[in-house]
Amino acid sequence: MELRAATLADIPAIHAIYAHHVLHGLASFEIEPPSVTEMQRRFEAVTAGGYPYLAATDDGGTVVGYAYASAYRTRPGYRYTVEDSVYVAPPAVGRGIGGQLLSLLIDQCERRGYRQMLAVIGDSANAASIELHRACGFAHSGTLRSVGLKFGRWIDSVIMQRGLGESDHSVPRVQGGSTARSCGLPVRYSAPTEASARRTSSTPSADSGACGGSGVPTA
């Protein structure tokens, strides 16, 4: 398996993965899957904001999972806090892909100078996502009871949080790198192209236009 920066060519596969989880899962509170065009718009908004957007591919080059970070809130005071989203294709569940994607996403966000990462996990019974985040250093921050209605029942949102880099031990002055957190999983990453690297090396943005819903539906 390979982890790399996602590209526009990956959008149809990403759309298929997300559509499955919209229709059959609770990780996303969307009811109807967005179109491929809308998924492309969201992808471009995230990457234009300087946030990492990753794809996991199998040995045949098929996209089997993806992950990205986006703004937690759009107010400027939140600019050092991001929210993660991770999705894995149903046939690839159980291979540790979600953990590898989240591990690299944490590293990429630390390198961009962010200080906090939040996971907003759909359904308090989503043990796989909660345990995955805990394994990657997240702690439970709270549960919002019955804030969603999907499949004819009320759904909780579980909030988990992880410090990035120096976290709140200092006030950011300049952007810088940091030590990667592997979460105990090996990661092989293909870096973005030079043009992509220039685009994503910007300071944290206050607006991502990211798609709704967060958390890892499958480990």
Side-chain angles (χ1 to χ4, degrees):
M1 192 186 73
E2 181 181 19
L3 304 185
R4 58 171 174 76
T7 69
L8 284 173
D10 299 322
I11 297 303
I14 288 172
H15 170 266
I17 293 171
Y18 184 63
H20 171 87
H21 289 292
V22 168
L23 292 173
H24 303 286
L26 298 174
S28 170
F29 281 15
E30 290 199 77
I31 305 298
E32 298 293 335
S35 66
V36 173
T37 300
E38 172 60 14
M39 290 296 288
Q40 177 175 326
R41 185 199 68 77
R42 296 177 184 185
F43 169 83
E44 291 175 336
V46 169
T47 55
Y51 299 96
Y53 203 125
L54 309 174
T57 59
D58 62 17
D59 293 340
T62 299
V63 175
V64 292
Y66 69 98
Y68 62 89
S70 58
Y72 167 62
R73 292 286 189 272
T74 58
R75 304 296 189 194
Y78 291 109
R79 65 190 178 279
Y80 286 96
T81 299
V82 294
E83 182 177 331
D84 76 273
S85 293
V86 184
Y87 291 92
V88 177
V93 173
R95 302 179 190 174
I97 294 171
Q100 293 188 58
L101 282 165
L102 181 54
S103 173
L104 183 57
L105 190 68
I106 290 168
D107 177 51
Q108 292 291 301
C109 286
E110 287 185 324
R111 292 177 183 275
R112 285 164 170 77
Y114 296 106
R115 294 301 188 90
Q116 299 290 330
M117 180 177 284
L118 296 181
V120 183
I121 300 170
D123 191 11
S124 56
N126 190 345
S129 181
I130 292 170
E131 290 303 315
L132 174 61
H133 280 84
R134 184 175 290 117
C136 285
F138 286 75
H140 182 266
S141 292
T143 299
L144 305 178
R145 299 292 181 186
S146 302
V147 293
L149 180 64
K150 188 174 181 180
F151 302 148
R153 70 179 181 90
W154 294 106
I155 309 163
D156 300 338
S157 283
V158 177
I159 312 299
M160 299 187 74
Q161 183 173 353
R162 184 196 194 283
L164 301 175
E166 296 184 16
S167 187
D168 56 359
H169 299 298
S170 66
V171 175
R173 292 186 298 275
V174 296
Q175 299 296 300
S178 60
T179 302
R181 306 297 205 279
S182 69
C183 303
L185 297 168
V187 172
R188 181 161 63 93
Y189 175 61
S190 293
T193 63
E194 181 178 351
S196 175
R198 287 198 302 269
R199 182 178 67 250
T200 58
S201 63
S202 61
T203 55
S205 168
D207 188 10
S208 72
C211 64
S214 255
V216 183
T218 49

